[in-house]
Amino acid sequence: MQNNLSIKNKKLKTEILFQKNYITKFIYNIAKKNEKVFCILDTKIKIDLNLSKQKKIEIISIKCGEKIKSYDGYKNLSEKLIKNNINRRSVIIAIGGGTLGDLVGFVASTVLRGIDFFLVPTTLLSQVDSSIGGKNGINTIYGKNLLGTFYQPKQVLIDISVLNSLSKREIRAGYAEIVKHALIRDYSFFCWLEENAIKLLNLNKYILEKAIYKSLMIKLHYVIKDEKELLLDNNSRAMLNFGHTIGHAIESHYGYKKFKHGEAISIGMITEARISNYLGMLSFNDLKRIVTHFKKSGLKIYDTVLTDKKLIKKLTKDKKNFQNIINFSLIDKIGSSIFYKKLNKDKIYKILQHL
Ligand SMILES: NC(=O)c1ccc[n+]([C@@H]2O[C@H](COP(=O)([O-])OP(=O)(O)OC[C@H]3O[C@@H](n4cnc5c(N)ncnc54)[C@H](O)[C@@H]3O)[C@@H](O)[C@H]2O)c1
Ligand SMILES: [Zn+2]
């Protein structure tokens, strides 16, 4: 893989750069071209201290996690930017995982009605998924990501050298979204993952880069076809929600504390694959193969809440759902997904009792 591959997409107006050990240079380059740069930084990321001595560059550090995607997180950051005289010629760079990217994207799209922003995703999950596509937002007590906008970053820098400090748990959580991309669209990618998952989880550079690239191309396919999730067919961006209907309900049930997003959607994917099998869409052999791969890669596959009635209540709060009908993006074989299957909540409850 090239060291400085860049994917430019006119339709999306986002450029994706792949460069190792490049974050400091990236910030300096942006500072050269703009009046003022606000770097919003996850406290776990260490950057060159000289950056903070530059007049043009202001660094705001935030301790990250799901809790920053909240009214308080939004208020604190946007008011800090306004207090520090952000203006339309300023730009924002978010350097952190998916929670920071989601919060900063929302802030950038609303403060002064929109400030240009750049993303440097620093978790595997954010490099393969959340940094691409322009969705952002915060959570409410009624569910995840219920307040947000579509707002594309100008550039995304994928720098895999920053992943070395991640825990194994975080790497596995990110891997879950990679497997999701393979399961919904690319059988041969899934076969390749079966061969290479262990190397990937051990951060083998070549394997990692290839997997991130493949994953992003699958995500881009849906985002380019259906940026605002309006299509009603198999190219809909909704296909990326495989595992997320159940996954989001699990996260919300536990107040975003027990599971990381990637863990909740791992359980979600296995459960939704089981539902696909129960409905006669996915063969038992494919289901078994998926479960085997999840187990081998250390991905979670079950939680006791699946049989709890409260989970069904949470499902009806998902923004994709209406009254008692729950929408699922399911799979009919490995590498092939099906646009929203509508299921009644009582039927889901029954299915979940029998899985
Ligand atoms: N916008 C989208 O399209 C989209 C897609 C998928 C997921 N998401 C969202 O992404 C969020 C999850 O993202 P996440 O898993 O990156 O969570 P996160 O941002 O909470 O990061 C996980 C943890 O890793 C730490 N961290 C970040 N970079 C690190 C590094 N390089 N080394 C060590 N520690 C580091 C963080 O401080 C945090 O504790 C969820 O809120 C989910 O809803 C959004
Ligand atoms: Zn996700």
Side-chain angles (χ1 to χ4, degrees):
M1 166 135 333
Q2 267 178 286
N3 198 29
N4 61 349
L5 177 70
S6 97
I7 309 170
K8 274 189 189 170
N9 195 289
K10 281 207 183 98
K11 217 171 155 194
L12 220 62
K13 296 199 177 78
T14 294
E15 189 181 8
I16 305 165
L17 306 171
F18 286 76
Q19 286 263 29
K20 290 192 208 72
N21 298 308
Y22 193 64
I23 297 179
T24 309
K25 188 116 195 275
F26 185 69
I27 299 170
Y28 276 123
N29 283 346
I30 293 169
K32 262 191 233 156
K33 294 179 199 143
N34 293 281
E35 199 178 282
K36 175 104 187 173
V37 177
F38 288 88
C39 281
I40 322 293
L41 184 71
D42 184 318
T43 48
K44 290 200 182 140
I45 306 299
K46 304 283 164 266
I47 51 164
D48 181 356
L49 290 174
N50 285 322
L51 279 170
S52 55
K53 293 182 195 139
Q54 308 286 315
K55 253 188 159 177
K56 269 185 161 191
I57 301 174
E58 180 131 354
I59 295 180
I60 299 174
S61 293
I62 299 183
K63 192 168 179 291
C64 291
E66 199 63 40
K67 65 179 180 316
I68 65 164
K69 287 177 58 175
S70 60
Y71 291 108
D72 277 354
Y74 177 78
K75 178 177 183 288
N76 292 342
L77 180 58
S78 48
E79 288 185 357
K80 197 170 236 167
L81 291 171
I82 293 164
K83 190 174 157 207
N84 290 348
N85 302 316
I86 191 164
N87 68 42
R88 286 252 174 77
R89 288 173 307 281
S90 312
V91 297
I92 299 177
I93 311 178
I95 307 162
T99 57
L100 189 79
D102 278 10
L103 171 70
V104 174
F106 187 40
V107 168
S109 75
T110 47
V111 165
L112 306 182
R113 299 203 175 82
I115 303 284
D116 282 349
F117 91 116
F118 298 77
L119 271 177
V120 182
T122 62
T123 58
L124 182 58
L125 186 137
S126 55
Q127 293 198 351
V128 300
D129 191 348
S130 66
S131 59
I132 304 300
K135 275 191 185 179
N136 59 49
I138 58 173
N139 306 323
T140 78
I141 52 161
Y142 297 107
K144 245 179 105 89
N145 304 328
L146 292 178
L147 284 172
T149 61
F150 289 97
Y151 194 64
Q152 300 292 347
K154 281 189 89 89
Q155 282 181 326
V156 178
L157 168 66
I158 308 286
D159 181 342
I160 63 163
S161 51
V162 80
L163 302 179
N164 290 324
S165 51
L166 282 176
S167 66
K168 274 263 143 40
R169 186 177 176 196
E170 292 294 353
I171 291 164
R172 271 197 299 270
Y175 180 64
E177 301 275 17
I178 297 180
V179 180
K180 177 193 79 181
H181 288 143
L183 285 174
I184 61 172
R185 199 174 157 77
D186 194 334
Y187 175 73
S188 62
F189 184 33
F190 182 81
C191 299
W192 183 84
L193 290 174
E194 285 182 315
E195 292 289 313
N196 292 292
I198 302 302
K199 282 189 202 146
L200 193 159
L201 293 166
N202 286 321
L203 299 185
N204 173 301
K205 281 199 177 61
Y206 171 75
I207 301 290
L208 192 59
E209 251 174 339
K210 194 167 167 186
I212 293 173
Y213 185 81
K214 270 274 197 194
S215 222
L216 287 181
M217 293 314 268
I218 294 172
K219 173 125 190 203
L220 271 175
H221 164 83
Y222 293 105
V223 173
I224 290 165
K225 291 250 183 237
D226 186 25
E227 186 188 1
K228 300 264 162 76
E229 210 167 314
L230 298 171
L231 286 181
L232 301 174
D233 60 26
N234 285 0
N235 280 319
S236 164
R237 191 170 174 167
M239 311 314 261
L240 294 162
N241 285 330
F242 174 59
H244 283 61
T245 305
I246 296 284
H248 280 165
I250 295 176
E251 279 185 283
S252 171
H253 174 83
Y254 287 115
Y256 307 101
K257 289 198 180 90
K258 180 170 176 181
F259 293 119
K260 304 201 162 294
H261 174 71
E263 293 172 338
I265 64 126
S266 294
I267 299 167
M269 280 189 278
I270 293 297
T271 311
E272 293 180 18
R274 288 190 202 281
I275 294 174
S276 302
N277 171 255
Y278 186 93
L279 297 174
M281 296 190 303
L282 180 73
S283 74
F284 184 68
N285 270 350
D286 270 6
L287 174 63
K288 219 170 97 190
R289 197 167 155 191
I290 298 167
V291 172
T292 304
H293 183 62
F294 272 52
K295 283 186 179 162
K296 194 177 143 202
S297 320
L299 299 186
K300 297 201 180 298
I301 59 170
Y302 183 77
D303 184 74
T304 49
V305 74
L306 288 171
T307 51
D308 192 328
K309 244 200 163 123
K310 284 189 204 133
L311 192 76
I312 304 290
K313 237 189 183 157
K314 289 282 176 199
L315 284 172
T316 56
K317 289 283 185 309
D318 194 302
K319 61 184 175 301
K320 301 183 291 295
N321 303 323
F322 183 65
Q323 291 179 349
N324 289 335
I325 300 298
I326 321 280
N327 281 307
F328 284 95
S329 291
L330 297 176
I331 50 175
D332 57 353
K333 52 182 185 240
I334 294 173
S336 164
S337 46
I338 295 190
F339 182 68
Y340 281 161
K341 184 96 191 150
K342 295 188 186 324
L343 293 176
N344 175 286
K345 76 176 173 52
D346 298 325
K347 175 146 191 192
I348 300 164
Y349 182 68
K350 257 189 221 140
I351 297 176
L352 291 179
Q353 303 309 306
H354 289 101
L355 291 182

